[in-house]
Amino acid sequence: MKKLVLLFSLCLCAVWVGAQDAERKLYSVAFYNLENLFDTIHDVGKNDKDFLPDGSYQWNTKKYEAKLKNLAKVLGELSRDQVPEGPAFIGVAEVENSRVLTDLLKQPSISNYQFIHYEGPDRRGIDCALLYDPQQFTVNHSKLVLSQPYQGDTVHLTRGFLIVDGQLAGERVCVIVNHWPSRGADSPVRVHAARQVKALKDSLLREDKKLKLIVMGDMNDDPMDESMKELGARKYTKEVKKRDFYNPWWETLEDKGVGTLLYRGKWNLFDQIVISRPLLKAKKGLRYSSNEVFIRDYLFQQDGKYKGSPLRTHGGRTWLNGYSDHLPTIIYLKKK
């Protein structure tokens, strides 16, 4: 009889622990600018000549394969210390085409991922894409919304806005992946990009006011800049109104001094992931938990003039066999 009571107690304990684990279940999503992930083949109509074997970078198979291996190392480690499965999805920027994504996902550490990519009109041929783990995230539908030029300026036309709608942890989650115009363009050009994303957000929220929406990307602006304010991304949770976003990266940069890229000795944080109010205030289901800039020693230059900067693929025209000039960002979501 005592044995039966003990066995019953152990079973109850196992059920309770399992329930606690379910309550504590973490998911993660990430963003990473892959910095010029080009193959060695010319894409007709695209200005990719620098990344050809006879181009200025002398981009060849050896360098391309090293780049794939390096990126896979980073992508394969994102959030694994907290979420063993890795991110449910990862937004990426600066990919040339579907070929490079196919080659990237052949790397063993990230072979469980699939990708969504649409060829866009960028002159250099770089696009956004979404890598996703089908065991965690089920894609329902996706589309690329092309950007409209600012006052007819097609020189600084931004990459299209990649919208992917799916199911994460049994809930509808939608993500918009961005890569806004570079700092070669003035601030109003990025504000214009923000207004377009805001319009997309408003349309999605009109359809479903409780939508758990994530906007991520390389915004080429910091969290406190005008474009992010225009998007409605707020620094503090108490400021987030019904159709606003919460931007945890504002505190990360402004209060903690942590960024994702270093320019002339100053850290910027262009690589942002912002969330709609339902992800912030949810009383049940998926809810925002925390954020992280992914920092590992190997991602930084260890000596020389640019010591402490992210270890990029090239320094000038010299091949450094690095990773990217940006660091990845991650947010964690808790299933309650």
Side-chain angles (χ1 to χ4, degrees):
M1 184 66 181
K2 289 182 178 179
K3 288 184 178 179
L4 286 174
V5 171
L6 178 61
L7 182 61
F8 182 68
S9 298
L10 288 172
C11 288
L12 283 177
C13 183
V15 169
W16 180 82
V17 170
Q20 291 295 100
D21 285 343
E23 286 182 3
R24 289 197 302 266
K25 176 65 177 175
L26 271 182
Y27 295 86
S28 64
V29 302
F31 176 79
Y32 194 21
N33 182 321
L34 304 184
E35 192 207 12
N36 295 323
L37 180 54
F38 283 84
D39 58 24
T40 61
I41 303 166
H42 174 55
D43 278 6
V44 176
K46 302 297 184 180
N47 184 15
D48 59 1
K49 62 182 181 180
D50 287 339
F51 288 90
L52 296 175
D54 59 353
S56 60
Y57 291 114
Q58 297 182 322
W59 193 242
N60 55 32
T61 300
K62 174 186 174 182
K63 295 177 181 178
Y64 174 54
E65 291 180 348
K67 173 84 169 176
L68 294 172
K69 182 179 179 181
N70 289 349
L71 292 176
K73 174 179 174 62
V74 182
L75 294 166
E77 292 183 6
L78 295 179
S79 77
R80 299 277 178 168
D81 56 339
Q82 296 193 56
V83 183
E85 303 86 352
F89 53 80
I90 308 168
V92 295
E94 295 197 16
V95 297
E96 183 183 17
N97 49 43
S98 292
R99 286 194 304 271
V100 301
L101 290 164
T102 299
D103 290 343
L104 179 63
L105 297 187
K106 288 178 182 176
Q107 304 297 310
S109 62
I110 52 172
S111 60
N112 59 306
Y113 285 91
Q114 298 177 16
F115 71 84
I116 296 172
H117 167 261
Y118 295 90
E119 190 66 40
D122 183 83
R123 293 181 178 185
R124 291 181 57 222
I126 56 172
D127 303 314
C128 295
L130 190 78
L131 315 181
Y132 69 96
D133 176 5
Q135 296 299 314
Q136 298 187 70
F137 183 65
T138 302
V139 175
N140 292 332
H141 56 83
S142 64
K143 64 180 178 179
L144 182 70
V145 177
L146 298 183
S147 173
Q148 299 302 311
Y150 173 70
Q151 296 183 348
D153 176 12
T154 57
V155 173
H156 299 111
L157 183 65
T158 196
R159 274 61 59 170
F161 311 111
L162 175 61
I163 305 177
V164 182
D165 204 317
Q167 294 283 321
L168 174 59
E171 298 182 44
R172 183 188 177 196
V173 174
C174 184
V175 58
I176 306 176
V177 187
N178 300 257
H179 187 186
W180 292 356
S182 74
R183 286 291 179 102
D186 292 332
S187 174
V189 179
R190 287 181 294 281
V191 171
H192 179 64
R195 286 175 180 153
Q196 293 179 75
V197 178
K198 185 177 180 181
L200 293 173
K201 176 260 296 181
D202 288 343
S203 177
L204 289 164
L205 290 179
R206 277 195 297 271
E207 174 197 335
D208 180 359
K209 66 181 181 180
K210 295 183 179 180
L211 177 63
K212 294 184 175 180
L213 175 62
I214 298 170
V215 173
M216 61 168 60
D218 177 356
M219 310 307 192
N220 272 302
D221 265 336
D222 285 324
M224 64 286 295
D225 287 335
E226 188 62 32
S227 60
M228 296 305 295
K229 291 178 183 178
E230 181 67 28
L231 182 61
R234 310 304 178 197
K235 181 177 182 179
Y236 299 112
T237 57
K238 63 184 180 182
E239 298 175 333
V240 180
K241 306 302 181 186
K242 187 165 70 170
R243 293 207 170 186
D244 288 341
F245 290 103
Y246 173 54
N247 191 347
W249 310 100
W250 197 326
E251 285 188 85
T252 300
L253 179 63
E254 192 169 64
D255 300 351
K256 300 176 183 177
V258 177
T260 56
L261 67 155
L262 190 64
Y263 181 67
R264 294 182 178 177
K266 177 189 174 184
W267 281 101
N268 296 100
L269 208 161
F270 293 171
D271 307 271
Q272 299 170 58
I273 307 171
V274 302
I275 59 172
S276 64
R277 195 171 188 270
L279 259 176
L280 179 66
K281 303 288 187 178
K283 294 182 179 178
K284 62 180 180 178
L286 281 173
R287 180 171 177 165
Y288 170 78
S289 176
S290 61
N291 68 310
E292 173 192 3
V293 176
F294 184 77
I295 296 174
R296 299 293 184 272
D297 286 345
Y298 68 80
L299 289 173
F300 297 89
Q301 290 194 208
Q302 300 301 317
D303 49 35
K305 180 180 178 182
Y306 297 105
K307 181 179 179 180
S309 298
L311 180 57
R312 56 194 305 167
T313 307
H314 292 94
R317 299 298 176 183
T318 302
W319 182 50
L320 302 178
N321 193 20
Y323 302 86
S324 172
D325 54 346
H326 293 243
L327 299 174
T329 48
I330 306 166
I331 64 167
Y332 294 91
L333 306 172
K334 183 175 287 188
K335 177 77 171 181
K336 297 190 69 174

